[in-house]
Amino acid sequence: MSARPRIVVLGGGFGGLESLFYLKQQLGDRADLTLVTNKPYFLFKPNTIYIPFGEPPEKYEVDLKSPLNKQGIRLLEATVHQIDRDSKTVETTAGRVEYDHLVVATGARMCIDEIPGMAAHAITVWTPDDMLTLRDRITRIIENARHREHSRILFLVPPNNRCSGPLYEMVCMLDTHLRRHHARDHVTLTFATKEGAFIEAFGPRLNSVVAEEFAERHITGHIDHVVTEILPQSVRFQNSSELPYDLLISFPPYAAASHFSGLPTDDRGFVTVDPSSRRVAGSDSVYAVGDTADFPIKQAFLALLQGDAAGDHIAAEILGRNPDVDFVPTSMCVMEQFDKAVFAQVPLKYTGDSSHPVEVNVTDSDHYKVGVSPLWRVGKTALGYYLPWRFGSGKPFHAGLPWKVMELGLKIMSQTMAE
Ligand SMILES: Cc1cc2nc3c(=O)[nH]c(=O)nc-3n(C[C@H](O)[C@H](O)[C@H](O)COP(=O)(O)OP(=O)(O)OC[C@H]3O[C@@H](n4cnc5c(N)ncnc54)[C@H](O)[C@@H]3O)c2cc1C
């Protein structure tokens, strides 16, 4: 090991930046920190849902050069090809990088070709460019509605999608948007999911909220609809049903964004880790956090918690103390609908069953909280400013006085506006 331990983080998203800035805050100049990432900016993916409704994509990009420079963290803009755990090196398009501690946070990718017909016929919601394409299609549908032309829009959650929440947000946002443009009477909205309940990962209370919203908004919802094939104007399902569409919007199946042959993974390339520390199985110096690791639900909030845990375990080792932070899986989100928002705080627990590794801890009523109110939009807006501000200053999300203030605000809101 060199005089100052070399910590290398791969991937400048939620998990990577949270662990990087957490480590900086804990270790100061006691370690050499490097971020290797293939984009010089952080993309605030959760808020790209606003792009189809008119917001500019650049609004959700946070430049990384200036905060890293300010914090004395080296930025290597490169793509990582390989990790060699024996020699403790990473091969990148900009050369070899040596590490003493490594955090892998390279996220997920979309497997659009896994569903026959998806690439040819669906608009997907993954990149800002996808969202701009969707904006064009929505504009056209509103235009058609002015000429009293009817359109059928179908939202589709296929097998192996690991983050269905944004599609539920977007169908409700679209309903409000179409009503505001006097186009709703000319559009049929349908939602079909492979899940056994609406937004299944968040448990029965969210299912009820979504079912009520769908009924109120005249959105037809179908659960247990496993897509088999997408045709030019209809979707076929395993249960022999078929749903028609003029516009199909889907969030494709997930797999790990990059496969590193030196790391143990499951069948979709997600890196196998110890649940609490996020340490990679069979390794004492490599950690994996966020969408690329094997936690079955892929969410920004969970990536941040995992980034904190990995950062703390590395810092503890360097400082010769016991770790203070483990990954305790509690999901939190605020789902936009434009006229109101849904808040959900969802405690999760491990089942020990590999076919169904995680479920909602429904008996933990102190932590399982759900609320629906126009005021929750304030919470969504606050998070939308807070997170880019923290990362743009080179600071972790979950730390310091600003987080305490944010946490207190969320606590007060969840005590008064959620149950
Ligand atoms: C439309 C949409 C809405 C969402 N809404 C929400 C929400 O409301 N709440 C929520 O909690 N979550 C939401 N999510 C999910 C959330 O965005 C992800 O869970 C989160 O981004 C995961 O963070 P990450 O750090 O693991 O990966 P990412 O944020 O994807 O970051 C990975 C980084 O690694 C880089 N990278 C990848 N491969 C390599 C390589 N080989 N070499 C170098 N760099 C590499 C990528 O360019 C990227 O910068 C949403 C996602 C989408 C798409």
Side-chain angles (χ1 to χ4, degrees), residues 11-16 36-39 45-46 48-49 78-80 105-108 125-126 131 163 166 169 251 254 257-258 260 289-292 298-301 303 332-334 380:
F14 286 87
V36 186
T37 192
N38 54 14
K39 283 194 231 106
K45 277 185 194 163
T48 61
I49 54 167
T79 298
V80 179
T106 39
V125 294
W126 180 241
M131 297 299 195
C163 179
E169 277 187 295
F251 200 168
Y254 268 59
S258 305
F260 303 116
V289 302
D291 284 4
T292 203
K298 309 294 180 191
Q299 256 210 322
F301 192 74
M332 195 193 277
C333 69
V334 185
K380 180 96 180 168

Side-chain angles (χ1 to χ4, degrees), residues 297-320:
I297 303 168
K298 309 294 180 191
Q299 256 210 322
F301 192 74
L302 295 168
L304 293 169
L305 294 176
Q306 294 171 27
D308 293 330
D312 194 67
H313 280 255
I314 295 171
E317 192 181 329
I318 291 170
L319 296 173

Side-chain angles (χ1 to χ4, degrees), residues 24-266:
K24 183 67 195 176
Q25 193 168 68
Q26 290 279 310
L27 299 172
D29 292 334
R30 274 171 285 199
D32 244 352
L33 290 167
T34 301
L35 174 69
V36 186
T37 192
N38 54 14
K39 283 194 231 106
Y41 60 88
F42 163 73
L43 177 63
F44 190 7
K45 277 185 194 163
N47 279 15
T48 61
I49 54 167
Y50 293 107
I51 297 172
F53 305 100
E55 293 296 340
E58 313 78 66
K59 188 170 172 183
Y60 306 111
E61 293 174 5
V62 179
D63 168 60
L64 288 175
K65 285 185 184 143
S66 147
L68 294 192
N69 194 23
K70 207 158 50 187
Q71 295 288 354
I73 299 170
R74 181 177 168 228
L75 172 63
L76 186 62
E77 199 184 322
T79 298
V80 179
H81 291 311
Q82 202 47 270
I83 295 168
D84 185 336
R85 285 198 284 171
D86 294 331
S87 61
K88 291 197 167 182
T89 54
V90 171
E91 297 295 339
T92 82
T93 46
R96 178 175 295 180
V97 182
E98 296 180 340
Y99 67 83
D100 298 307
H101 305 269
L102 182 69
V103 180
V104 183
T106 39
R109 69 181 164 86
M110 295 295 98
C111 306
I112 193 165
D113 294 328
E114 248 173 52
I115 310 291
M118 183 174 273
H121 306 304
I123 306 275
T124 52
V125 294
W126 180 241
T127 65
D129 280 347
D130 293 339
M131 297 299 195
L132 283 172
T133 307
L134 181 56
R135 184 197 290 180
D136 287 345
R137 295 296 301 273
I138 292 172
T139 307
R140 235 183 292 157
I141 280 172
I142 292 174
E143 200 52 46
N144 291 345
R146 284 203 185 106
H147 299 104
R148 306 192 160 275
E149 244 177 73
H150 196 88
S151 305
R152 298 159 302 179
I153 305 182
L154 175 60
F155 285 76
L156 177 71
V157 182
N160 284 313
N161 177 274
R162 302 290 176 92
C163 179
S164 62
L167 273 194
Y168 288 93
E169 277 187 295
M170 292 181 78
V171 71
C172 293
M173 291 166 81
L174 183 56
D175 167 64
T176 312
H177 183 77
L178 292 173
R179 277 190 282 115
R180 287 178 180 167
H181 285 81
H182 311 289
R184 185 63 181 92
D185 289 346
H186 301 285
V187 178
T188 307
L189 290 178
T190 306
F191 196 102
T193 177
K194 54 88 191 185
E195 299 161 296
F198 296 126
I199 194 158
E200 194 169 25
F202 287 178
R205 298 192 56 198
L206 254 291
N207 175 57
S208 306
V209 167
V210 170
E212 274 170 37
E213 283 298 327
F214 278 10
E216 204 177 286
R217 294 172 186 275
H218 303 288
I219 297 166
T220 309
H222 300 277
I223 57 168
D224 287 323
H225 271 50
V226 179
V227 54
T228 51
E229 188 182 8
I230 298 175
L231 304 171
Q233 288 196 317
S234 70
V235 177
R236 285 196 178 139
F237 298 93
Q238 227 168 48
N239 60 11
S240 307
S241 64
E242 193 162 328
L243 290 172
Y245 70 85
D246 299 304
L247 170 61
L248 177 67
I249 304 170
S250 187
F251 200 168
Y254 268 59
S258 305
H259 179 70
F260 303 116
S261 58
L263 302 184
T265 66
D266 65 15

Side-chain angles (χ1 to χ4, degrees), residues 355-405:
S355 66
H356 172 59
V358 164
E359 66 185 22
V360 176
N361 190 356
V362 284
T363 55
D364 184 357
S365 50
D366 284 350
H367 295 104
Y368 192 17
K369 286 192 176 289
V370 177
V372 186
S373 162
L375 280 178
W376 276 113
R377 296 199 66 219
V378 178
K380 180 96 180 168
T381 307
L383 284 166
Y385 283 108
Y386 175 77
L387 184 112
W389 168 62
R390 289 296 283 177
F391 281 180
S393 325
K395 300 277 171 50
F397 180 87
H398 283 127
L401 187 63
W403 169 243
K404 289 223 161 12
V405 173

